Amino acid sequence: MSMFRRQGGRYVATFAVDEVRVLRKVASEVVGLLTDGFDHSDPVVGRLFPDAYPDDPANTAEFRRYTEGDLKTAKIDQAGAILAALPDEAGGEVRLDAEAAEAWLRALNDARLAMGVRLEIKDGTDLGEELDDAVAEDPTSSRVFQLSVYAYLGYLQESLLNALID
């Protein structure tokens, strides 16, 4: 598995071809969710764009009117930063400057939030236990794959964050 490390003013990781494919798919799905699939009734959209005033729908709507477009654009750009930095369909090295690294962190966070909603992961969920249960039930299930991707994104996010603060 790749791990980010600092090299001068850059944050560098080498990705295997399967990692590139997964990251490309995840980032593309986030972009799709924020463009073609943008629907306020979707719980994932609700998680990525929570109500600013949960007890005041009028003020929440007003806040959204002024901020949602810019927030969506920023989230799309951040997912786009992942897509732009990844090697084409092969594995290879990714080199990020500080601005791109921060965009990656935000995009990885958005992807994990989205997946967490779909996988019904809560604050107290033990991911290892959840994965063990899914493997015991059906090791070839899509849930096992999705939980593995969720865990990988967390690992990658932590790796990049550690490289940034070192």
Side-chain angles (χ1 to χ4, degrees):
M1 273 205 243
S2 59
M3 177 175 259
F4 277 97
R5 61 204 177 280
R6 178 180 247 158
Q7 284 185 348
R10 299 277 180 192
Y11 305 93
V12 180
T14 302
F15 292 92
V17 65
D18 289 340
E19 291 174 300
V20 170
R21 287 183 186 138
V22 165
L23 288 171
R24 191 170 296 288
K25 180 160 179 49
V26 166
S28 295
E29 287 177 357
V30 169
V31 170
L33 175 72
L34 297 172
T35 54
D36 304 333
F38 195 77
D39 175 5
H40 281 288
S41 66
D42 183 339
V44 171
V45 171
R47 183 69 172 110
L48 293 176
F49 297 88
D51 291 342
Y53 306 99
D55 298 329
D56 189 344
N59 277 335
T60 292
E62 185 73 3
F63 182 80
R64 270 205 176 102
R65 187 165 72 92
Y66 289 109
T67 62
E68 189 171 82
D70 289 340
L71 288 173
K72 263 181 27 178
T73 298
K75 289 179 181 299
I76 291 166
D77 289 349
Q78 291 156 11
I82 289 178
L83 294 170
L86 288 171
D88 294 333
E89 299 304 313
E93 191 174 79
V94 168
R95 300 178 69 77
L96 306 174
D97 62 19
E99 183 179 339
E102 289 179 19
W104 269 60
L105 280 176
R106 289 188 295 274
L108 290 169
N109 188 62
D110 286 345
R112 290 189 78 237
L113 287 172
M115 288 188 79
V117 169
R118 295 283 191 247
L119 293 168
E120 298 179 358
I121 294 175
K122 308 291 183 219
D123 284 341
T125 299
D126 180 327
L127 190 56
E129 185 177 305
E130 195 73 23
L131 190 53
D132 288 346
D133 290 346
V135 168
E137 188 173 314
D138 179 3
T140 64
S141 73
S142 63
R143 181 162 179 82
V144 170
F145 177 74
Q146 291 167 345
L147 286 166
S148 297
V149 169
Y150 180 84
Y152 169 70
L153 294 176
Y155 164 82
L156 193 59
Q157 188 177 24
E158 183 178 357
S159 164
L160 181 53
L161 183 60
N162 286 336
L164 279 166
I165 60 176
D166 278 347

